[in-house]
Amino acid sequence: MARYILKRLLLMIPTLFGVLLVTFLVTQFVPGGPVEQLINKIQGQAVQGESAGGGSKIYRGNTDLDPEKIQQLKVLYGFDQPAYQRFFTMLRHYLSFNLGESYFYQQSVMDLIISKLPVSISLGVWTFLLTYLICIPLGISKAVRDGSTFDTASSTIILIGYAIPGFVLAIFLLVLFGGGSFWDLFPLRGLVSDNWNELSWFGKLSDYLWHITLPVISLTIGSFAIVTLLTKNSFIEEIRKQYVLTARAKGLAESTVLYKHISRNAIIPLVTGFPSAFIGAFFTGSILIESIFSLDGLGLLSYEAILHRDYPVVLGTLYLFTLISLFAKLLTDICYVVVDPRIQFDSLDQQPR
């Protein structure tokens, strides 16, 4: 076990290196880098200044920056150094989790990520909990009643929910319950109210849940189908096995067979996927949902970083999320062995990836 874990940890190094290298190379060829954007911003301010002062509104060449100032901007952002030198400097800083400073926000990338986490954690944790707490019992019920009217009706409902894009559902909920054309029951924006600090602890909790309801519903509905059908298929596969017939032949109660024998084996694919699902729920932001509900989370941060060519934020968040994902996959493999002793690390090591 220790040998397998050590091997997986060592394999993380080339994986991280490859992901960062490819992304860094792509950023070098994307037009409109941070220097170009700052130059355009300065030129635009110069033109607006002329117009405001009564000058001509037509663009003039004297608003261009001279080469010396452009070189100073390159030095400011570190683009005066060769690309390979900037890349290895970045890797050296990443070893100590120094993710650099944002070009656009003028703030440490790590501090920026931490400041956005409350929104993403709120959305992720509630989405994860509601998905598994609802879908596992629903999937078990569907497996036990396979082919019944309940199974058909519930499958139809969850597949319709899966087919509806999350942002479309979010807009519909806002129009219906957010003070649009119908009821004004939920707030339109933010994670908490402006007077949140003045509320009692119960008031703070109520206010928080009041704000998070519509975004969580928009994110959760689409994920019901996958977990529910996975649970159902896993239980159906176990129900049809020989040991279940043997247990029933011994006269055991149906509830005992289901929850003591079948569940112990059928739940393995779900339990082993918890680490990846939990980490993914924590750090995966939805750009559209956060934009619709004016939630300033990691999804919106990533989008703005790409839009503004904020390379430290792009590469820093990619490094952090890739590292966390690799550890989550390692925890998934460890969960396989913990939950099912029949699986050995040697067999996992031989599986193609």
Side-chain angles (χ1 to χ4, degrees), residues 79-322:
F79 286 97
D80 59 317
Q81 301 175 354
Y84 72 90
Q85 186 175 346
R86 286 186 281 115
F87 177 71
F88 286 106
T89 300
M90 179 190 73
L91 291 182
R92 188 173 66 253
H93 290 161
Y94 281 7
L95 291 177
S96 59
F97 289 94
N98 177 13
L99 304 183
E101 184 172 331
S102 167
Y103 296 154
F104 182 73
Y105 294 96
Q106 300 298 317
Q107 184 180 354
S108 168
V109 174
M110 183 62 77
D111 293 340
L112 198 58
I113 293 174
I114 293 174
S115 67
K116 309 295 183 181
L117 276 180
V119 170
S120 297
I121 289 176
S122 296
L123 294 176
V125 170
W126 285 111
T127 300
F128 173 83
L129 290 177
L130 289 177
T131 299
Y132 278 89
L133 289 177
I134 294 175
C135 292
I136 291 180
L138 179 60
I140 295 174
S141 299
K142 288 172 62 64
V144 173
R145 306 175 191 177
D146 184 35
S148 65
T149 303
F150 168 78
D151 180 37
T152 304
S154 58
S155 295
T156 303
I157 293 173
I158 62 175
L159 288 176
I160 291 175
Y162 180 75
I164 299 176
F167 71 93
V168 174
L169 179 61
I171 295 173
F172 172 77
L173 292 176
L174 274 182
V175 172
L176 192 61
F177 300 112
S181 303
F182 298 93
W183 300 283
D184 186 8
L185 300 178
F186 295 95
L188 294 175
R189 60 181 61 86
L191 194 61
V192 292
S193 299
D194 295 335
N195 63 335
W196 189 79
N197 291 326
E198 303 173 3
L199 302 175
S200 62
W201 70 267
F202 182 76
K204 290 181 179 179
L205 178 62
S206 301
D207 183 76
Y208 165 74
L209 294 177
W210 181 48
H211 280 76
I212 208 69
T213 298
L214 295 186
V216 168
I217 291 175
S218 304
L219 285 172
T220 304
I221 295 299
S223 59
F224 276 178
I226 298 175
V227 180
T228 301
L229 296 179
L230 175 62
T231 304
K232 175 190 173 182
N233 294 335
S234 180
F235 271 80
I236 288 178
E237 183 181 354
E238 293 297 324
I239 289 173
R240 295 171 179 172
K241 289 186 177 179
Q242 184 64 40
Y243 75 88
V244 177
L245 297 176
T246 303
R248 288 172 176 169
K250 291 180 179 180
L252 296 178
E254 191 64 27
S255 59
T256 303
V257 176
L258 179 62
Y259 294 107
K260 185 177 180 180
H261 296 279
I262 297 176
S263 297
R264 185 167 55 184
N265 296 314
I267 209 73
I268 290 175
L270 299 171
V271 173
T272 52
F274 277 0
S276 297
F278 189 65
I279 296 297
F282 256 89
F283 293 99
T284 301
S286 175
I287 298 173
L288 293 175
I289 298 299
E290 291 180 9
S291 299
I292 291 171
F293 292 99
S294 299
L295 298 173
D296 193 9
L298 292 174
L300 196 58
L301 174 65
S302 301
Y303 171 74
E304 290 179 346
I306 295 173
L307 189 65
H308 297 290
R309 304 295 191 269
D310 199 347
Y311 297 151
V313 175
V314 173
L315 292 167
T317 53
L318 179 67
Y319 166 74
L320 195 60
F321 298 163
T322 303

